[in-house]
Amino acid sequence: MQISPSILSADFANLERELRRVANADWAHVDVMDAHFVPNLTLGLPVVEALLSVSPIPIDAHLMIEDPDRWAPMYAEAGCSSVTFHVEAARDPRTLARTLRAAGARAAMALKPGTPFAPYEELLPELDMVLVMTVEPGFGGQSFMADQMPKVRQVREAVKRHGGEIWVQVDGGVSARTIEQCAEAGADVFVAGSAVYGAEDATRAVDELRALVSAHAH
């Protein structure tokens, strides 16, 4: 059970300090948005490269961008330990996943709330993680979509059938109130933005989320 705080809710003027506040987490989740695939613009490769040089934990890059076939491999080459592309935007997800792995990153595929999983199940052998979005991608602070839990369950069951160690990640509105239902549905990597960075003590918020899911795992 892994916690991946999203810096989308952090103080963008002090990202090095903000990363240190979550040094007890498993990953730093970095949302790259291009104002095309989603209606918001956040940060890109130069900022990610700077974060990689100071982050105390590995970076989980979530690319909400058009043409990930072209851009995603650069994030893997820069040193992101996990790179997630949106299957809705990828022209050739199989080749892209293989390219990410060849560059040394874990390859992950993200699904927007309206995107069904079944058509992409055959890609599982190429993947290290599937991200089920629990909000519409684009902005932090949105409320959690419980109606995505059946999709999380479906992905988890498919992963069991296929074998291999494939993580199931949820992202959007994940908090102390919602994290247990995500774990129950089969998620094992939890992205939390405002639940961590909106808390008085981000480090403690990470510990509290971890305690909630590890109690659930045992």
Side-chain angles (χ1 to χ4, degrees):
M1 296 285 180
Q2 304 181 71
I3 309 293
S4 185
S6 166
I7 67 164
L8 187 61
S9 304
D11 174 2
F12 270 18
N14 292 288
L15 287 175
E16 180 177 1
R17 187 194 67 201
E18 296 285 65
L19 287 169
R20 281 203 292 264
R21 288 173 68 201
V22 297
N24 60 325
D26 299 280
W27 297 86
H29 187 86
V30 177
D31 290 302
V32 174
M33 306 184 190
D34 64 357
H36 293 281
F37 181 71
V38 287
N40 192 6
L41 184 64
T42 51
L43 47 83
L45 193 57
V47 176
V48 171
E49 286 173 336
L51 294 176
L52 283 161
S53 67
V54 297
S55 181
I57 50 179
I59 286 184
D60 163 29
H62 176 193
L63 308 182
M64 295 175 245
I65 61 174
E66 282 180 2
D67 203 5
D69 305 72
R70 177 180 174 193
W71 299 110
M74 297 181 198
Y75 287 83
E77 284 153 20
C80 294
S81 302
S82 177
V83 177
T84 303
F85 61 87
H86 268 268
V87 74
E88 304 89 352
R91 283 190 310 273
D92 183 354
R94 185 177 307 261
T95 301
L96 176 53
R98 288 178 181 174
T99 305
L100 292 172
R101 280 178 162 180
R106 294 178 62 88
M109 169 180 84
L111 305 163
K112 288 162 82 165
T115 305
F117 168 66
Y120 306 107
E121 184 177 333
E122 63 195 35
L123 293 170
L124 280 180
E126 312 290 346
L127 299 170
D128 299 293
M129 184 168 74
V130 176
L131 164 53
V132 177
M133 290 297 296
T134 43
V135 295
E136 282 298 336
F139 292 92
Q142 297 184 68
S143 46
F144 177 76
M145 297 169 73
D147 62 0
Q148 294 301 300
M149 293 304 99
K151 193 195 293 184
V152 173
R153 232 171 241 116
Q154 191 189 2
V155 173
R156 173 54 65 201
E157 280 156 16
V159 165
K160 278 186 193 141
R161 278 199 305 277
H162 285 261
E165 198 197 325
I166 302 169
W167 301 343
V168 180
Q169 186 180 59
V170 282
D171 175 9
V174 175
S175 68
R177 281 196 314 282
T178 59
I179 196 164
E180 288 169 283
Q181 53 184 300
C182 296
E184 210 159 287
D188 53 9
V189 186
F190 307 88
V191 176
S194 24
V196 170
Y197 281 111
E200 197 90 346
D201 182 339
T203 308
R204 194 162 83 223
V206 169
D207 287 337
E208 283 167 1
L209 289 173
R210 196 191 297 287
L212 284 169
V213 290
S214 53
H216 188 91
H218 307 304

